[in-house]
Amino acid sequence: MRIAHLGAADLGSVRTRNSVDILVPKETANLCTTHRMEAARDRTAYVRAPLVAVVPPALPHSLADRPGSNTLILSIAEPFFSETARAALGSDEFSFVQPHAATDSLIREVADAVDREFPSHRLAASFLNALAALLAAHVARNYVAAGPAKAMPTGGLAPHKMRCVRTFVAEHLGETIRVEQLAAEVNLSPFHFARMFKQSTEQSPHLYILLQRIQRAKELLAGTDSPIIEVAADVGFRTQGHFTGVFHRYTGFTPKVFRTSAREASSRPIDPSGGHHDR
């Protein structure tokens, strides 16, 4: 989760974000949001304390407010939000309601707690991740319309074949892993393997491998002193730039900030208010 205050660069210009943005105006704010509806008409919502607003990802919109840091923005990366929303709603199909001002005591309480610690740089990555999960589930249940519940998958790979695939991936994360290789490990054609793997995991083989690379990278960043470029190579990325972009997309942090936050969090007693706050 990223935390920011509404700045001059955000005012007036059209913003399109790959995140769910929660706007929490302070008592001194005079915030209004404008977005384009399907009928090509602009809709403006005025958001003043104690109200809040939730802006969906990929929605072009503009913001206007008084000068100064009057509005707190809590941003949840879209992949993280979607994963949490699917679990919370029990459905792969969901859509946001139109942005509007709403009274929401839980978001207000979280924002107040975050804002108190924001200037002191004391928010740990683990604490932010917990808050992001809480807010994502809350937003999913209150600001999202779910589609029909998806039936639990049937069929798929046998448990011993899944273990074989997971082991192979874990042992070859630093290499290029092809679907053909995984299929050969369990004696299936690539087409049937990909279909059965998704039935078992609800993930494509490509996404599963990518998420395993991210998880291993987290462990290496937090537990070793290896340079980031070496961590990138160890988990199968050819360049540090590609690694940084993918890691940021799926965690909300750059590798450098994730490592700093993890080190700060582990170097002192567990404290909900401890750690780093920004990316």
Side-chain angles (χ1 to χ4, degrees), residues 34-44 59-60 98-99:
T34 301
H35 68 278
R36 181 61 55 88
M37 300 179 66
E38 292 183 0
R41 292 184 301 172
D42 288 343
R43 175 173 176 176
T44 297
L59 176 70
Q98 291 288 345

Side-chain angles (χ1 to χ4, degrees), residues 24-259:
V24 188
K26 300 180 182 180
E27 294 293 337
T28 56
N30 189 25
L31 176 68
C32 72
T33 68
T34 301
H35 68 278
R36 181 61 55 88
M37 300 179 66
E38 292 183 0
R41 292 184 301 172
D42 288 343
R43 175 173 176 176
T44 297
Y46 293 91
V47 192
R48 299 184 179 90
L51 303 178
V52 301
V54 177
V55 180
L59 176 70
H61 63 283
S62 61
L63 305 174
D65 198 358
R66 292 170 176 161
S69 298
N70 299 311
T71 296
L72 184 69
I73 302 177
L74 306 176
S75 299
I76 304 173
E78 190 279 331
F80 180 88
F81 176 83
S82 292
E83 181 179 354
T84 305
R86 284 193 290 267
L89 300 172
S91 174
D92 284 345
E93 300 178 15
F94 58 86
S95 58
F96 281 86
V97 299
Q98 291 288 345
H100 63 283
T103 301
D104 195 310
S105 58
L106 186 144
I107 288 178
R108 273 280 164 189
E109 290 176 9
V110 170
D112 288 345
V114 167
D115 203 32
R116 283 194 298 270
E117 301 298 334
F118 186 86
S120 63
H121 296 250
R122 296 178 58 210
L123 292 175
S126 57
F127 183 48
L128 281 180
N129 287 340
L131 288 183
L134 170 67
L135 287 174
H138 177 75
V139 168
R141 293 190 178 103
N142 291 276
Y143 299 88
V144 166
K150 184 176 180 180
M152 291 299 292
T154 58
L157 294 175
H160 72 280
K161 291 189 174 183
M162 277 302 306
R163 287 194 295 271
C164 181
V165 171
R166 293 181 192 277
T167 299
F168 184 91
V169 171
E171 292 177 350
H172 296 83
L173 276 181
E175 308 166 19
T176 298
I177 303 175
R178 303 185 185 281
V179 172
E180 291 81 1
Q181 294 173 283
L182 300 180
E185 289 292 311
V186 293
N187 299 312
L188 290 171
S189 71
F191 173 80
H192 285 95
F193 167 76
R195 180 175 58 83
M196 295 177 73
F197 184 89
K198 191 164 186 179
Q199 286 180 329
S200 295
T201 65
E202 296 190 310
Q203 295 175 345
S204 68
H206 173 77
L207 178 58
Y208 173 79
I209 294 168
L210 180 61
L211 294 178
Q212 292 304 301
R213 295 190 198 280
I214 296 298
Q215 182 57 39
R216 176 72 65 81
K218 287 181 178 180
E219 296 169 0
L220 293 174
L221 290 169
T224 75
D225 293 321
S226 298
I228 291 176
I229 192 170
E230 291 185 10
V231 172
D234 287 343
V235 297
F237 289 89
R238 294 183 178 180
T239 68
Q240 183 174 336
H242 183 210
F243 168 61
T244 297
V246 174
F247 189 90
H248 183 277
R249 180 186 176 197
Y250 282 90
T251 69
F253 295 88
T254 64
K256 181 178 180 181
V257 170
F258 179 87
R259 166 172 275 172

